[in-house]
Amino acid sequence: MGREILPFPSFLKTVMKKNIRIIISLIAMLLIIGGLTVAALRRSADEVTETAGQATHAETEQTELTYDGASCSLDKNIETYLLVGLDSKGEKVSEETWKFYNHIQSDVLLLAAVDRREKTVNVIQLNRDTMMEVPWLDVTGRCRGTTFKQLALSYNSGSGGLDSLHNTKNAVSSLLFDAPIDHCLAFTMAGIAELNDLVGGVTVMIDDDLTAVDPQFKRGSVVTLHGDQAQKFLRARLILDNDTNAARMARHRDYLEGFLKSAETVTDDPDFVLKAAEKLDKYTVTDMTAQDMSELVQYVSEYGISSVSYPEGELRLTEHYEFYVDKASLWEIVKDTYCR
């Protein structure tokens, strides 16, 4: 028997019974690399179809992970969610016309792992510049091989819709020693300003000199971000003195902390989740169903966010930045996240 799928009104009723601040915490996590959408809330499981080139990881087929002669048994209590922030300046790409290639990259990649036994939610943050064998799709949408390049470019293959998201999902799975990924969601960064202003702005400390991006972004200053400032703070990179993605990843974590504080101002608004959903729908691509989203909200509500981990590695500068992940460091993180 399949799992019960909550209809849209019942789902919202279930969600709104939860502590509103915890729900906002989830939205904040999705903001940096994803979003809560009306489409995702309404989609039922039988509407989600297998996309060409998408790898599947059935629990009965995969029981362990291996690396360099070591292995660990997969914990069946773990459920994972890949959340991707796209560098597109507009709304999500329509899949009505098939494209062999698009120019969208994955700027931010987070993997949220829910451990139902230990009651934790652990997040793995991955560097977009990670060099690896990235899968690519042909004109029919089938995976035809790999090319050694940045992880961020995995989204370039395909139409820019769900097929491209699944290609990124497969790339991340490969990087994580073929670890299974249950759900994925992508969000164009153009939607940041709208959600930022839904909570009245977000206050952050400026740790580096970012005046090349905005005159108010002086080192050591405290700034409340409004409108496009939020996107500038989160996305700024190439024109800065410290233009590494590692520096930008640190700003992402600082922004999340500030967002949670600002979110306290909307705790008395029972319609906040729906308002956010309506505003972010046009920016989001996902294979998550209403039940998937309901479960994730309930997990975060009960467990909170336990940790954020990111692997060590070597940063090299050629014609662009290249990050070579320390496989041993990554293995320890993946093993701790996925295995019992």
Side-chain angles (χ1 to χ4, degrees):
M1 180 181 296
R3 58 184 180 177
E4 180 184 2
I5 306 302
L6 297 176
F8 184 60
S10 297
F11 168 74
L12 277 183
K13 183 177 180 181
T14 299
V15 168
M16 299 315 299
K17 287 181 179 179
K18 299 294 181 180
N19 183 292
I20 186 68
R21 191 179 184 285
I22 297 298
I23 296 170
I24 294 167
S25 299
L26 171 63
I27 294 175
M29 181 178 73
L30 297 183
L31 162 69
I32 295 180
I33 38 63
L36 183 62
T37 70
V38 172
L41 296 177
R42 289 178 176 160
R43 182 178 295 155
S44 60
D46 59 2
E47 291 176 308
V48 179
T49 59
E50 187 73 13
T51 300
Q54 179 185 5
T56 54
H57 299 273
E59 290 186 11
T60 56
E61 297 176 356
Q62 186 178 9
T63 60
E64 64 179 20
L65 301 179
T66 60
Y67 164 68
D68 196 25
S71 64
C72 65
S73 298
L74 285 170
D75 189 338
K76 294 183 179 180
N77 293 290
I78 303 297
E79 187 158 10
T80 52
Y81 303 79
L82 176 64
L83 308 170
V84 181
L86 305 176
D87 69 352
S88 174
K89 297 180 180 179
E91 299 177 4
K92 62 185 177 183
V93 176
S94 171
E95 294 183 85
E96 294 178 0
T97 302
W98 174 261
K99 296 179 182 179
F100 172 63
Y101 181 87
N102 67 81
H103 296 283
I104 303 172
Q105 298 182 15
S106 303
D107 261 4
V108 188
L109 300 108
L110 297 181
L111 183 80
V114 176
D115 187 328
R116 295 184 293 268
R117 181 183 58 195
E118 298 297 328
K119 298 185 177 181
T120 59
V121 179
N122 297 298
V123 177
I124 301 176
Q125 186 179 29
L126 298 173
N127 194 320
R128 71 181 299 282
D129 296 333
T130 300
M131 300 299 294
M132 62 169 294
E133 290 291 336
V134 173
W136 57 273
L137 308 178
D138 67 12
V139 293
T140 68
R142 296 180 181 276
C143 182
R144 291 300 188 185
T146 63
T147 303
F148 189 72
K149 55 185 178 180
Q150 293 173 323
L151 172 59
L153 302 179
S154 59
Y155 205 92
N156 286 161
S157 191
S159 69
L162 193 58
D163 56 314
S164 299
L165 176 56
H166 282 159
N167 198 58
T168 294
K169 171 182 172 181
N170 293 337
V172 171
S173 174
S174 176
L175 177 66
L176 302 182
F177 313 100
D178 293 325
I181 299 174
D182 300 302
H183 314 284
C184 53
L185 179 150
F187 180 75
T188 67
M189 303 300 270
I192 290 173
E194 291 195 43
L195 187 54
N196 180 87
D197 290 353
L198 273 177
V199 297
V202 174
T203 301
V204 296
M205 168 73 78
I206 308 298
D207 291 329
D208 295 313
D209 181 10
L210 305 180
T211 51
V213 178
D214 188 297
Q216 293 188 40
F217 293 175
K218 298 178 181 179
R219 184 197 301 270
S221 61
V222 177
V223 178
T224 299
L225 306 172
H226 293 285
D228 291 339
Q229 281 186 318
Q231 185 173 161
K232 290 178 181 179
F233 179 78
L234 288 170
R235 296 191 63 193
R237 180 183 178 188
L238 297 181
I239 64 174
L240 302 177
D241 291 335
N242 185 355
D243 60 353
T244 67
N245 191 55
R248 183 166 60 178
M249 289 166 67
R251 291 203 304 275
H252 292 168
R253 295 189 292 271
D254 291 341
Y255 182 86
L256 175 58
E257 182 178 352
F259 186 96
L260 294 179
K261 293 179 180 177
S262 295
E264 294 176 356
T265 63
V266 299
T267 54
D268 294 329
D269 183 0
D271 296 325
F272 178 82
V273 172
L274 184 56
K275 290 177 182 177
E278 291 174 340
K279 283 184 175 292
L280 297 182
D281 177 52
K282 59 187 176 183
Y283 301 112
T284 307
V285 176
T286 185
D287 63 7
M288 296 176 68
T289 67
Q291 186 73 6
D292 296 332
M293 188 65 74
S294 175
E295 290 174 353
L296 180 55
V297 168
Q298 292 175 25
Y299 290 141
V300 175
S301 174
E302 182 179 351
Y303 308 156
I305 305 298
S306 306
S307 68
V308 179
S309 303
Y310 40 95
E312 300 174 359
E314 178 186 356
L315 186 65
R316 302 176 191 174
L317 179 59
T318 56
E319 58 185 70
H320 51 253
Y321 279 113
E322 298 179 349
F323 181 75
Y324 291 83
V325 68
D326 183 312
K327 290 292 186 68
S329 170
L330 182 59
W331 170 250
E332 290 302 317
I333 291 174
V334 171
K335 183 175 64 173
D336 290 345
T337 301
Y338 273 93
C339 297
R340 57 176 181 267

